[in-house]
Amino acid sequence: MKTITPNIHPHLVGCNERSLVIHAHQKATLPPQQHQTANRAARLTQLFLSLPILHLENPHPAEQHPCIDWKNLYHHKETVPESPKEDLSSKWREIHGLLDWDNLLDPLHPWLRREIIKYGEFTQATYDAFDFDSFSEYCGSCRYNCHKLFDKLGLGKNGYMVSNYFYAMSHIDVPWWLQKSHLMDRWSKDSNWMGYVAISNDDESLRIGRRDIVVAWRGTVAPCEWFEDLQGNLDNLGDGDGDVKVEHGFLDIYTSKSESTRYNESSASEQVMKEVSRLVNLYREKGEEVSLTITGHSLGGALALLNAYEAAKAIPGLPISVISFGAPRVGNSAFKEKLCEMGVKILRLVVKQDLVPKMPGIMFNEGLQKFDEITRTSKWHYTHVGTELKLDVHASPYLKKGFNFSGFHSLETYLHLVDGFQSTTSTFRVDARRDLALVNKASGMLMNELRIPECWHQLANKGLVLNSYGRWVRPKRDSEDIPSPPSGESSNQAFVDMYTDYEGIVEPFVFAS
């Protein structure tokens, strides 16, 4: 085994050099009472970043996988047609877990594989459209208007329409969970865009056998920073089910609101449930069968479970399924039992090497089932919910071997492994149709022989454009893509306008030496 000098691969939902710079700036502005928590999270972040990325000395890929034409591999992949859209109208209940996916996972049914990838791409959209740029005046928002979100991200043919966005905040100290601009609180100082609600159109509804409502939850920006915060106590949901408890940080993000905020006068919970209830009533009144599918990755997978629990209690008779990727544990045994009792169907996709699904409850989890009478109401015993489909990085001939925390947790890694998974006794699917290059969108997991750059996904020229005066500037968003009109001009507005108004710069801005 050979140890290579650690190389931190930036990842949209992992730790990266840019985020560390942002965090250093934000830490300096924290109130004294928050320093201790921030220091703990920073130490843990450093621990993960200090872990070397190990690549094993393997034989040449052509020797390991002689059936793969490595020389012409990527040319071959460019010619693969799209996966066909089968008519699921008579089988959609089984595909969405009526029988807990019995006999559909091993081997993986091709119809189910396609549905999993479809919902995974809905979740990936919450990352691809999120404004992570700390120098953007709209950092923490969605970069596109909801009516053109799918078209901008290449999902225009998926048969769904986005009906609404929702936002979340937190009242507890979750270190750097909110993405904020370095320049000013231009659009919101308290809230972040957290996802969207979408609805299947007429053609897609005919194919899948019902009107499908989708709620897609965005994951956290840096999971290694809230690792320590996931060791907190379980809290009661406060809805009359006294034994049901969930992790207090997840619950706070799901339910926090404040009248002083622009986007969270109502909580993420209230925003989502208002839109879901509206759509259910609208299409039930038309005599249509309606389903709810909730999806999320990482933190988003945890919030998806809370959303499913609330929806099942609020809307009787609504078929509800959750498809989550790399999600941590959320609640105790009573929470699990209640979800099962209400008929919520949950499919958890877990990569064997991913650490996040092992949190929280490393010591006290479902492995202690024989002590259930003692642990089910405790404040420190967690359990996973639903049916698990376990994936293995080592199964793919295209992925590097060794340890890569953010790469293992990447949603694109998950989707690649699902696309190639056939069964626990079969090799990786050679005719998998999903583009291999997507794996390296925000990681460096692909083998070098594929010649796909690491972390290639970014805005052209990192978002800068050349204006009519020959200066590289940050463009203003189209008016329809701005979260809402500014509430007022900032004292720094002249400075910001200098570097965002690509039509108005006449004289160059010169810094004093």
Side-chain angles (χ1 to χ4, degrees):
M1 185 171 71
K2 177 182 177 182
T3 301
I4 296 179
T5 303
N7 177 26
I8 305 306
H9 300 299
H11 189 280
L12 292 182
V13 294
C15 298
N16 54 59
E17 295 172 341
R18 183 201 68 187
S19 65
L20 291 178
V21 174
I22 297 171
H23 300 159
H25 168 82
Q26 291 175 331
K27 179 181 176 183
T29 63
L30 286 174
Q33 64 270 23
Q34 295 185 14
H35 282 172
Q36 184 176 0
T37 303
N39 286 337
R40 289 200 306 269
R43 286 196 303 271
L44 192 67
T45 299
Q46 190 59 43
L47 172 62
F48 277 114
L49 292 177
S50 65
L51 292 172
I53 293 176
L54 303 176
H55 299 303
L56 306 181
E57 290 289 345
N58 294 310
H60 189 275
E63 299 175 18
Q64 289 181 292
H65 308 281
C67 61
I68 298 176
D69 182 2
W70 288 91
K71 183 176 181 181
N72 298 310
L73 174 65
Y74 208 70
H75 173 72
H76 169 70
K77 285 293 179 183
E78 289 177 342
T79 64
V80 175
E82 291 184 358
S83 178
K85 287 188 173 184
E86 299 86 356
D87 185 343
L88 307 181
S89 57
S90 63
K91 297 291 184 181
W92 75 266
R93 289 186 179 275
E94 290 85 349
I95 294 295
H96 276 254
L98 177 65
L99 304 176
D100 295 319
W101 295 278
D102 187 34
N103 296 322
L104 294 178
L105 296 177
D106 194 7
L108 181 60
H109 195 290
W111 293 7
L112 177 56
R113 177 190 294 112
R114 197 185 195 289
E115 288 295 284
I116 290 172
I117 292 175
K118 177 180 79 172
Y119 291 109
E121 289 179 341
F122 284 146
T123 303
Q124 182 64 43
T126 65
Y127 293 122
D128 293 343
F130 188 68
D131 189 345
F132 288 92
D133 185 0
S134 62
F135 290 101
S136 166
E137 57 186 320
Y138 302 112
C139 179
S141 70
C142 180
R143 291 188 285 115
Y144 309 115
N145 178 278
C146 66
H147 300 300
K148 62 182 184 182
L149 174 69
F150 286 159
D151 287 335
K152 283 289 186 179
L153 300 181
L155 298 175
K157 297 180 180 180
N158 62 18
Y160 286 73
M161 306 166 290
V162 177
S163 69
N164 218 336
Y165 286 166
F166 56 88
Y167 301 81
M169 63 179 296
S170 178
H171 281 139
I172 65 170
D173 180 26
V174 182
W176 311 303
W177 176 76
L178 291 173
Q179 285 290 290
K180 294 185 178 181
S181 172
H182 277 333
L183 301 178
M184 64 179 65
D185 295 325
R186 174 68 168 165
W187 75 280
S188 174
K189 66 179 181 179
D190 302 295
S191 305
N192 271 195
W193 180 65
M194 204 61 199
Y196 60 88
V197 181
I199 184 77
S200 57
N201 62 24
D202 291 345
D203 290 341
E204 182 69 2
S205 297
L206 184 64
R207 182 186 77 85
I208 61 179
R210 81 283 186 195
R211 189 72 65 168
D212 186 34
I213 301 169
V214 172
V215 180
W217 288 86
R218 182 177 60 80
T220 187
V221 176
C224 54
E225 289 167 356
W226 47 259
F227 173 91
E228 186 169 284
D229 292 272
L230 293 186
Q231 311 311 309
N233 289 340
L234 290 154
D235 288 346
N236 289 97
L237 278 174
D239 60 353
D241 293 324
D243 290 345
V244 176
K245 294 182 174 67
V246 296
E247 201 280 326
H248 77 290
F250 298 150
L251 183 61
D252 188 81
I253 291 172
Y254 186 66
T255 60
S256 285
K257 60 181 178 179
S258 172
E259 293 183 356
S260 64
T261 64
R262 183 183 303 167
Y263 292 92
N264 278 114
E265 291 184 2
S266 59
S267 66
S269 160
E270 292 168 336
Q271 294 171 54
V272 170
M273 288 306 303
K274 179 179 179 181
E275 182 65 7
V276 168
S277 298
R278 183 186 73 84
L279 292 172
V280 169
N281 292 334
L282 173 65
Y283 288 101
R284 277 183 171 177
E285 288 176 359
K286 295 180 179 181
E288 297 189 31
E289 189 166 23
V290 184
S291 69
L292 173 62
T293 310
I294 310 174
T295 184
H297 168 252
S298 192
L299 168 66
L303 298 174
L305 278 188
L306 296 177
N307 189 184
Y309 181 93
E310 183 177 20
K313 294 199 70 173
I315 311 176
L318 178 66
I320 300 173
S321 58
V322 175
I323 299 179
S324 70
F325 304 82
R329 297 182 182 95
V330 177
N332 63 357
S333 297
F335 178 66
K336 171 184 177 180
E337 292 166 5
K338 189 66 177 179
L339 281 167
C340 294
E341 177 187 316
M342 294 189 294
V344 176
K345 300 301 179 180
I346 300 156
L347 179 60
R348 295 186 300 107
L349 285 93
V350 174
V351 168
K352 178 181 177 181
Q353 293 80 6
D354 187 4
L355 298 180
V356 171
K358 298 176 174 61
M359 315 297 174
I362 299 176
M363 298 293 294
F364 303 103
N365 53 51
E366 57 272 1
L368 300 176
Q369 290 179 352
K370 61 183 178 180
F371 302 111
D372 187 62
E373 289 301 319
I374 300 174
T375 60
R376 74 185 304 275
T377 60
S378 74
K379 292 187 176 183
W380 33 261
H381 179 262
Y382 289 82
T383 183
H384 274 305
V385 188
T387 302
E388 177 182 280
L389 175 58
K390 182 166 285 188
L391 308 166
D392 190 344
V393 166
H394 296 156
S396 171
Y398 310 109
L399 301 183
K400 294 174 182 175
K401 305 303 183 284
F403 181 83
N404 186 333
F405 173 74
S406 62
F408 295 158
H409 189 57
S410 167
L411 179 53
E412 288 291 0
T413 299
Y414 272 78
L415 297 181
H416 166 69
L417 293 174
V418 172
D419 195 31
F421 180 80
Q422 299 184 88
S423 74
T424 53
T425 58
S426 302
T427 58
F428 199 81
R429 196 166 66 112
V430 177
D431 61 344
R433 302 177 185 232
R434 186 169 173 78
D435 191 349
L436 286 175
L438 294 172
V439 175
N440 268 17
K441 180 188 287 186
S443 75
M445 289 290 290
L446 288 176
M447 298 191 73
N448 294 335
E449 285 77 7
L450 293 170
R451 301 183 181 182
I452 304 298
E454 298 180 1
C455 307
W456 55 262
H457 185 261
Q458 64 180 26
L459 296 176
N461 300 311
K462 295 190 175 180
L464 297 185
V465 298
L466 191 65
N467 71 6
S468 58
Y469 297 95
R471 300 193 64 82
W472 287 96
V473 297
R474 189 176 304 279
K476 285 186 175 179
R477 284 192 184 182
D478 292 342
S479 58
E480 62 180 354
D481 295 331
I482 296 175
S484 72
S487 58
E489 294 298 318
S490 165
S491 59
N492 292 327
Q493 189 58 42
F495 173 84
V496 173
D497 284 345
M498 177 65 72
Y499 276 85
T500 58
D501 187 357
Y502 54 88
E503 295 297 336
I505 295 180
V506 179
E507 296 295 334
F509 187 88
V510 180
F511 288 96
S513 59

